[in-house]
Amino acid sequence: FSICTWVRKRYRGTSFPFLLDYRIEGKYGEIIMSDNGYHNRVNERSTDIRFKFNVPDGQWFHQCMTWSTADNTLRVYLNGEELAGFSVQTYSYSKLWTGGTMCLGNIAGVSKSKNVIFGGDLYKLNMYGRVLEKSEIRILAFDICSSAEDR
C-alpha cells in the first residue's frame, strides 16, 4: 500500500503528533504516520527518521509512506525523495487486518492530548492498495507543488 499527503504544520506538538492512525482492537498501531518522522509504522515495526525530517512550521511538504508485502519493507518519502537508509523490515508473516478504526490527526481512541494531536493542514490525502513507484511519488510531490503553495 501507499499513503501520500501534503502537510502543513501550524504548531509543533511536544511529543509525536499523528497524521494518521489505523488500529485494530488489541494491537498497537497497524499503520501510523506522524508529522515529525518519529512514528512511521506498519505492523508494530517503525522507523525513527526525526533527524532527517526537519520541516519548519507553516511550510507545505509532501509526505508518502509505502509498504510492500513482497519484501516487507516500509519506506518514507519527503518531497518526492526517499529518505535513504531508513527502510525497515517488517515481520515476514505480516498482513494488515481489516475492521479497524482510522483516525486523522490523533491516535484512535485516545483523548485529545496536545502531545499527540496534529496541529495543521492535510491536503490531498490519498491511500493506494499498491506500492507506488518512486517516479509516481515524485510526480505527486511536484505536480501539486504550486497549488499547495498557493493555499
Side-chain angles (χ1 to χ4, degrees):
F1 75 84
S2 301
I3 303 170
C4 300
T5 187
W6 280 94
V7 182
R8 177 172 52 186
K9 300 183 214 183
R10 297 280 185 182
Y11 70 90
R12 191 169 308 277
T14 58
S15 188
F16 28 84
F18 289 14
L19 299 177
L20 179 142
D21 179 40
Y22 174 73
R23 65 181 55 224
I24 303 300
E25 189 173 331
K27 290 189 78 172
Y28 175 75
E30 278 287 284
I31 303 170
I32 295 174
M33 192 172 184
S34 70
D35 81 340
N36 68 358
Y38 182 66
H39 274 318
N40 287 285
R41 183 179 193 98
V42 174
N43 282 38
E44 301 182 7
R45 298 293 298 262
S46 65
T47 181
D48 180 352
I49 54 174
R50 287 176 285 189
F51 305 109
K52 296 273 187 184
F53 198 86
N54 187 11
V55 178
D57 292 348
Q59 183 178 20
W60 282 104
F61 64 97
H62 188 261
Q63 184 174 345
C64 194
M65 183 171 82
T66 67
W67 180 58
S68 169
T69 56
D71 62 5
N72 292 309
T73 301
L74 172 67
R75 291 185 171 86
V76 179
Y77 297 80
L78 183 66
N79 294 329
E81 297 298 322
E82 183 176 352
L83 298 178
F86 291 96
S87 295
V88 172
Q89 294 298 312
T90 57
Y91 299 113
S92 60
Y93 59 84
S94 296
K95 71 175 190 174
L96 292 176
W97 297 92
T98 59
T101 301
M102 183 173 293
C103 184
L104 296 177
N106 196 7
I107 300 174
V110 174
S111 69
K112 295 185 171 120
S113 162
K114 69 179 180 179
N115 291 335
V116 295
I117 288 179
F118 167 66
D121 303 308
L122 297 177
Y123 178 66
K124 290 213 170 199
L125 176 86
N126 292 295
M127 301 178 80
Y128 304 87
R130 64 182 178 84
V131 174
L132 294 179
E133 300 291 328
K134 290 180 183 184
S135 60
E136 293 175 296
I137 292 171
R138 282 190 202 108
I139 289 169
L140 288 172
F142 293 105
D143 185 42
I144 221 80
C145 189
S146 60
S147 64
E149 287 295 328
D150 294 338
R151 293 195 172 279

